Amino acid sequence: MAKADASHGPNTRLGHGGNDPMEYYGFVNPPVVRASTVLFPDARTLIAEDQKYNYGTHGTPTTDALCEAISGLEGAAGTVLVPSGLAAISVPMLTFLSAGDHVLITDSVYGPTRRFANEVLPRMGVSVEYFDPLLAADIARHLRPETRVVFLETPGSNTFDMQDIPAIAAVCRPKGIVTVVDNTWATPLYYRPLEQGVDIVIHAATKYLGGHSDVLMGTVSTNAQLWPKLYRGHMVLGMCVGSDDAYLILRGLRGLGRRLAVHQESTLAVARWLEGRDEVKRVYYPALESDPGHAIWKRDFSGAASLFSFSLRDGVDAHRLLDALSVFGLGYSYGGYESLAAKVNLADRTLKRADAEDALIRLHIGLEDVEDLIADLERALISAGGGGS
Ligand SMILES: *Cc1c(COP(=O)(O)O)cnc(C)c1O
């Protein structure tokens, strides 16, 4: 049975990537191989560690199936699995940064990335600098001879600013600076940074790839040049995952394309509806024509995810709004089948933008019927003090 490859559409690849059923008696799904110890047939093989698997921390057929599926989707030479999305951020930083190096990080980065960079990297002798996500090729002005890594996230967390990734990669690559993109929002279905000159792409597989709010995992993928160093860095840190969890992500991955299509359609409907409400000041979602990042999103992405935010006009109470929601749950994650709302704060940003707002309401639009979601939001906006439109 031939595996799906780049000549196939995304949903065919999601359905047939990773394991080969004919390797396991035809069973469609791979076995969950729970493993620490692996036995060797004789002394020579034992001493040389000359077989495909030799210890549980180095992978199993289940984790390999997931790695292969992700590498196929991203166009990567290799992928490592780590226990959380946050570990997918710390592992490449710990692998590619050394004492004396300088790292540039986009200012709209996921909050815990900033916490890791601020609390761990300076202790290792790495200097950390944040840059304006809208800089594009002007990032050159911030590069130093000791700049080793540029960490990107597009769209940025909570404000959803679009970064000009090809322009940034074109500046960094000739200088040998390692570029990393946190691609959790778009998934490899809607954006493939490696095709635009980026070196490393990471995911919180916890979100869309898993898709069911029941598992934590991160993935780190890279090109052929950096793969040996990433593989080694991952192995020495001991950041492995259990096969049961890898199985859950692989299972979530099969329906990812179909789930994302519904997420996208419903999210556009909700975002457009919110734009027309009196209680709402501004909607931050790059798939909207009104969004300042729309042109870059349209140029580089083939779709939009279900996480976006909006600000409220004066007199509309954010806490009353959240408390009045009944279909939306209150929580900080996203990517699952269920809708979520949260209040997010921009106070930890290093650079203050002229248009910056203090707090935003962030929504994840799930797979429920969109009419129910809009009705829930309408009730909540009215009770929050808007009075309707
Ligand atoms: C959630 C998230 C992470 C971290 O994932 P966890 O599995 O929760 O640690 C990293 N980056 C982005 C953009 C995220 O949204």
Side-chain angles (χ1 to χ4, degrees), residues 80 89-98 101 116 121 124 148-149 178 200 220 226-237:
V80 296
I89 290 152
S90 64
V91 163
M93 297 245 219
L94 292 170
T95 298
F96 290 96
L97 289 168
S98 303
D101 288 348
F116 167 79
L121 295 181
M124 293 171 47
R148 187 77 192 102
V149 170
V178 174
I200 295 176
V220 189
L226 297 186
W227 171 243
K229 187 159 181 183
L230 174 67
Y231 179 80
R232 186 80 197 166
H234 171 249
M235 193 176 78
V236 298
L237 286 168

Side-chain angles (χ1 to χ4, degrees), residues 3-17 72-73 189 192 254 257-258:
K3 284 202 175 176
D5 58 32
S7 71
H8 295 89
N11 292 295
T12 307
R13 294 169 74 186
L14 285 168
H16 296 272
L73 293 170
L189 254 61
R192 278 174 302 284
R254 302 304 183 191
R258 306 305 182 184

Side-chain angles (χ1 to χ4, degrees), residues 3 18-33 52-53 60-65:
K3 284 202 175 176
N19 59 299
D20 177 355
M22 289 311 150
E23 284 177 13
Y24 299 106
Y25 310 100
F27 290 109
V28 167
N29 290 294
V32 177
V33 178
K52 181 160 184 194
Y53 297 102
T60 68
T62 321
T63 60
D64 276 359

Side-chain angles (χ1 to χ4, degrees), residues 11-91:
N11 292 295
T12 307
R13 294 169 74 186
L14 285 168
H16 296 272
N19 59 299
D20 177 355
M22 289 311 150
E23 284 177 13
Y24 299 106
Y25 310 100
F27 290 109
V28 167
N29 290 294
V32 177
V33 178
R34 299 192 185 89
S36 55
T37 307
V38 181
L39 298 179
F40 299 82
D42 51 45
R44 191 207 63 78
T45 320
L46 174 81
I47 305 305
E49 297 186 10
D50 183 20
Q51 63 184 22
K52 181 160 184 194
Y53 297 102
N54 48 51
Y55 192 60
T57 54
H58 305 169
T60 68
T62 321
T63 60
D64 276 359
L66 177 56
C67 290
E68 202 176 303
I70 302 282
S71 290
L73 293 170
E74 286 289 5
T79 295
V80 296
L81 305 178
V82 292
S84 67
L86 184 54
I89 290 152
S90 64
V91 163

